Amino acid sequence: MDTQSQVVERLRSSFGSGVTIPEPFRQAQLKRLMAMIKENEQLIINALHKDLAKPKFEVALAEIDGTVNELHHAIVNLSSWMKPEYVSKNLATKLDECFVRREPLGVVLIIGAWNYPLQLILNPLIGAIAAGNCAVLKPSEVAPATESLVAELIPKYLSQDCYAVVQGGAEETQALLKNRFDHIFYTGSQKVARVILQAASVHLTPVTLELGGKCPCLIFGRVDIKVAVRRLVWAKFFNAGQSCVAPDYVLCLPATRDAILTVLKETLEEFYTEDPQGSPDFCRIVSPRHWSRLMDLLKRSNGKVVVGGESDQEDKYIAPTVVVDVAEDDALMQEEIFGPILPILTVDSVAQGIEFLNGKDKPALYVFSDDSSIVNTVLERTSSGGFCSNDGIIHPTLPSFPFGGVGASGSGSYHGRWGFETFSHRKACMLRGWALERLNGLRYPPYNEEKLSMLRWTTSPKNGCSVM
């Protein structure tokens, strides 16, 4: 078996040969990746059930169809993405051919996460392949069944000279990061992101970070409580709350909190029965360590559990749980929950809610309201990686949207064209001939005021317009 450095060098040699550059190669690899998913759907379902007890329904929606849709979008649009982008010109460059050319970066490293262990390793790969790169994949060892399946399938379907999978835990990842890459794409926690940034700094490697955070859900003004709660419950407890874009907590008026509590309980029973542990539609926490972290947060909280709270360590089960009377400094508000625990906090107004949000993490932000002025006010006066009104976790499913956080929630974005751009270098290209040398002569010494005046005129905007 090759060492990590040998794997990287093999891929670097392949990239240097230019094999990944032509569009037919990129298209073929994307179609092979599509075939890999479609031909192994049951194996994927089985692996994700083993790792997280994910129901087939959630695997199909989030892991399989979401990735297939991204592939289809890339395959259909790749030709247009690769075309030169011609730019406006001034008089001095009127006869030149001026365009932006997208070029692949080289050999990139993609480090996936465990909560959607297939989607979060393959979606960045789609962008890397589309842009013409070679890629090393490091799936999460916390989801071992999916990790093993990815390591088994990728070499069967994609070029082994251009794409490789490295398995292992923290030690193997740290060793992998000692190699020089042309870009690193990481999805996961802020703690690990700091380690990756330090490693990348050695080679000045650019990094894309998808880190998540505490996604707020504001409920204000007129709203259909029953519909709002159904959408909130689905978005929060999908994948047992282990989604970086899941609503992390609710902000609302005290009267709204009182109105939604009964409906929350009824909706949870409707979705997952009175015994969620026996429901085939409710996931499990990924590992004993993550289960213990969540239970410790719940134990240290000073809030009041009004729904759920039951747990089973051996089964890695935590019931869908709702907590009220939660203060801003509560244990549940100090870090991203990433589990099936929903705190509800109250404020006195939309303005107070906005003030609460600003200065905190900036992942996704949700607003439930029939009042468009409330929705627009929150949209305009806050910053977030993504924004959705009257629903949750839906916006990342649209391939034409960029997906990414702001500040501590991440840097950079991907999905669709945005993933292609992340793994591309935009090179400014000017193709000049030998004409107009008399005009070019204005820039040569000896300098004088007449030359300067003429040269400044040729390069300045004309009536606010540029010459094409």
Side-chain angles (χ1 to χ4, degrees), residues 115-326:
N115 55 324
Y116 294 94
L118 186 75
Q119 179 209 124
L120 295 179
I121 197 75
L122 295 189
N123 276 3
L125 177 61
I126 293 168
I129 293 174
N133 297 278
C134 291
V136 175
L137 307 183
K138 172 58 185 70
S140 174
E141 74 283 1
V142 181
T146 308
E147 176 196 31
S148 296
L149 184 61
V150 169
E152 174 189 345
L153 294 180
I154 289 291
K156 290 182 179 179
Y157 283 84
L158 300 186
S159 166
Q160 295 186 31
D161 292 328
C162 300
Y163 313 102
V165 180
V166 172
Q167 294 178 263
E171 184 177 342
E172 287 78 10
T173 303
Q174 289 175 348
L176 186 60
L177 287 167
K178 292 179 180 178
N179 293 278
R180 181 178 68 83
F181 292 96
D182 299 293
H183 195 91
I184 298 174
F185 189 107
Y186 170 72
T187 303
S189 70
Q190 295 176 358
K191 179 181 178 180
V192 175
R194 292 183 176 93
V195 174
I196 288 171
L197 285 173
Q198 288 178 343
S201 69
V202 174
H203 301 290
L204 297 179
T205 302
V207 179
T208 298
L209 300 173
E210 298 291 343
L211 307 179
K214 296 183 75 64
C215 302
C217 178
L218 282 71
I219 306 178
F220 281 100
R222 300 184 311 274
V223 65
D224 185 324
I225 292 294
K226 184 174 182 180
V227 174
V229 168
R230 289 171 68 85
R231 294 185 182 186
L232 171 63
V233 166
W234 180 77
K236 172 62 181 180
F237 298 104
F238 189 92
N239 202 37
Q242 297 167 114
S243 305
C244 67
V245 290
D248 191 274
Y249 60 95
V250 170
L251 274 180
C252 63
L253 300 173
T256 303
R257 174 202 60 196
D258 297 341
I260 68 176
L261 283 178
T262 299
V263 185
L264 268 169
K265 188 174 188 302
E266 293 172 351
T267 303
L268 283 166
E269 289 182 0
E270 177 190 349
F271 285 9
Y272 304 115
T273 77
E274 293 182 359
D275 177 24
Q277 188 172 8
S279 170
D281 299 326
F282 191 69
C283 292
R284 295 298 183 264
I285 307 305
V286 70
S287 72
R289 180 171 67 86
H290 289 83
W291 182 92
S292 296
R293 182 189 68 83
L294 288 165
M295 292 306 300
D296 180 64
L297 285 177
L298 197 56
K299 181 180 179 181
R300 290 190 290 113
S301 172
N302 292 318
K304 178 183 178 182
V305 174
V306 292
V307 179
E310 301 83 11
S311 63
D312 183 333
Q313 184 172 11
E314 184 176 350
D315 192 27
K316 294 179 291 186
Y317 166 76
I318 298 175
T321 299
V322 180
V323 187
V324 298
D325 299 335
V326 176

Side-chain angles (χ1 to χ4, degrees), residues 360-426:
K360 298 189 183 300
D361 289 348
K362 300 178 181 181
L365 194 160
Y366 304 109
V367 180
F368 287 18
S369 180
D370 291 339
D371 190 334
S372 61
S373 66
I374 290 177
V375 173
N376 289 327
T377 296
V378 177
L379 176 61
E380 292 169 2
R381 293 179 56 193
T382 60
S383 173
S384 57
F387 183 95
C388 182
S389 66
N390 300 322
D391 215 333
I393 70 171
I394 293 295
H395 65 283
T397 65
L398 188 61
S400 48
F401 269 158
F403 180 80
V406 180
S409 291
S411 59
S413 60
Y414 73 122
H415 287 195
R417 173 69 184 258
W418 309 93
F420 173 84
E421 295 287 356
T422 287
F423 289 105
S424 296
H425 168 64
R426 291 173 289 280

